Amino acid sequence: MSSWQLENELNGILAAPQIDWNKLRNARLLFTGGTGFIGRWMLEALQHANDRLALDLQITIPSRRPDVFRQRASHLLANGKLTLTQQDIATTPPSGNFTHIIHAATDASATLNDEAPLTVFRTIVRGTEHTLDLAASQPGTKVLFLSSGAVYGQQPTELSNIPESWHGSPNPQLPKNAYGEAKRAAEMLCAIYRKQFGVNVVTARIFSLLGPFMPLGTHFAAGNFIRDALAGKSILVQGNGRPIRSYLYPSDLTVWLLTLLTAAPREGAYNVGSERAVSIAELAQTVAHLIGNDDYKILGQDDSGWNTGRYVPSTTLIRNEFGLTETVSLEESVIKTASANS
């Protein structure tokens, strides 16, 4: 992604009227999981606001591999407002004095979830408990917990968009649901700490995303499709193409999350995602048409992923409460992601 394209995106985030930037003036922010895909977008926006608005926002990021982040995004360290520490919060509780916490530390790897589900579960639950312990020791600290739409489990086919009021859950007898169950357990910890210790915590249930900085060629279908199209290969849908997803662009995601951090009330959970449903087959067709010479194939193998059905949120709650909108279309998201990787 070119510097001018990124700056244009960041200026749009900075101008979003829903974000109360003054709430972050002279703030001290702990950001766990800040070196991942979502974290990168959030940090780009926060440091841009630091520079443009002179917020004097101090950010601390515990990371298992801080050197990797320094290599990828050294420019984020230039203004002296960001401190990287080598630490795994699942094993070593974070420390320090903070006015705000964004807790995003997790491992969303499908491979790890399949091969070592206990590691996934422990990382999410223990890391959340350690983070909430810190928040409980500092009354008034605002916590934004990044959860997942996976907490709902299998979405009923008759439910076109799943609302926060629907209380389904993953099947606890299937280890492949370790990620979703761990996020549910982490949300329960948030509720307990809110009630028992008065922790000010808000939850964002994040659905599928697509945009620059997303790693291509991992377990995400959209990334795999774009990778193959850019390489001049035929896009292959291994399954039947029928699972339904929706994709939110990360600049919209960033606006929504920073709105929750600075303007959301004391409690609650909000869906964060796109309401535009698209099948995996339709996604492959879209990517192939936009960047891949219309070359795609549906192989029709049995789908065995964690969610072989529908995965599309209702965002009525967050839109009505804060006036948030989705501003980038799926087609634009595909083109921008491809451009950033070409």
Side-chain angles (χ1 to χ4, degrees), residues 88-138:
D88 181 354
I89 66 163
T91 57
T92 306
S95 60
N97 295 311
F98 302 98
T99 59
H100 297 75
I101 297 174
I102 299 175
H103 177 46
T106 187
D107 196 322
S109 165
T111 300
L112 186 64
N113 192 66
D114 183 55
E115 297 177 354
L118 184 58
T119 298
V120 171
F121 192 90
R122 282 176 172 168
T123 297
I124 294 171
V125 175
R126 289 178 176 174
T128 301
E129 185 172 8
H130 288 160
T131 302
L132 291 172
D133 279 337
L134 178 64
S137 72
Q138 302 173 10

Side-chain angles (χ1 to χ4, degrees), residues 90 92 101 155 157 196 217 224 266 286 291 300 309 316 320 339:
T92 306
I101 297 174
Q155 184 173 342
T157 55
Q196 192 166 338
N224 292 342
R266 174 181 172 80
T286 298
I291 60 175
T316 299
N320 287 350
S339 176

Side-chain angles (χ1 to χ4, degrees), residues 51-68:
D51 293 337
R52 296 295 187 274
L53 303 178
L55 294 178
D56 196 24
L57 166 64
Q58 303 291 329
I59 306 171
T60 299
I61 304 177
S63 172
R64 288 174 294 183
R65 296 188 299 169
D67 290 343
V68 173

Side-chain angles (χ1 to χ4, degrees), residues 93-321:
S95 60
N97 295 311
F98 302 98
T99 59
H100 297 75
I101 297 174
I102 299 175
H103 177 46
T106 187
D107 196 322
S109 165
T111 300
L112 186 64
N113 192 66
D114 183 55
E115 297 177 354
L118 184 58
T119 298
V120 171
F121 192 90
R122 282 176 172 168
T123 297
I124 294 171
V125 175
R126 289 178 176 174
T128 301
E129 185 172 8
H130 288 160
T131 302
L132 291 172
D133 279 337
L134 178 64
S137 72
Q138 302 173 10
T141 298
K142 175 69 175 288
V143 181
L144 175 63
F145 172 54
L146 271 54
S147 186
S148 168
V151 300
Y152 295 114
Q154 196 72 41
Q155 184 173 342
T157 55
E158 68 274 11
L159 192 60
S160 61
N161 299 82
I162 197 162
E164 292 87 349
S165 58
W166 192 78
H167 300 302
S169 63
N171 183 347
Q173 295 298 312
L174 299 177
K176 71 177 182 179
N177 291 328
Y179 176 81
E181 285 287 358
K183 287 293 189 180
R184 279 175 60 83
E187 285 199 26
M188 176 55 73
L189 283 171
C190 290
I192 291 170
Y193 275 74
R194 183 188 302 120
K195 174 180 174 57
Q196 192 166 338
F197 304 107
V199 173
N200 183 354
V201 56
V202 175
T203 296
R205 293 173 179 160
I206 300 173
F207 284 70
S208 300
L209 309 169
L210 178 61
F213 302 138
M214 187 180 81
L216 305 184
T218 56
H219 60 283
F220 300 110
N224 292 342
F225 295 166
I226 291 172
R227 173 204 61 191
D228 291 344
L230 289 174
K233 299 178 181 178
S234 176
I235 293 173
L236 300 180
V237 179
Q238 299 294 332
N240 56 33
R242 290 196 291 267
I244 304 293
R245 300 290 184 266
S246 63
Y247 296 90
L248 186 68
Y249 189 72
S251 65
D252 286 335
L253 168 77
T254 303
V255 170
W256 291 27
L257 293 180
L258 290 177
T259 297
L260 292 180
L261 179 67
T262 61
R266 174 181 172 80
E267 59 187 41
Y270 297 86
N271 287 341
V272 174
S274 170
E275 289 197 351
R276 179 181 170 182
V278 58
S279 72
I280 296 299
E282 291 168 336
L283 176 65
Q285 183 181 38
T286 298
V287 173
H289 178 70
L290 291 173
I291 60 175
N293 299 318
D294 292 306
D295 185 10
Y296 74 99
K297 296 181 179 66
I298 310 294
L299 300 184
Q301 300 174 10
D302 289 338
D303 284 310
S304 58
W306 74 271
N307 189 331
T308 59
R310 193 175 184 88
Y311 187 58
V312 182
S314 167
T315 56
T316 299
L317 181 62
I318 196 170
R319 287 188 286 109
N320 287 350
E321 286 199 19

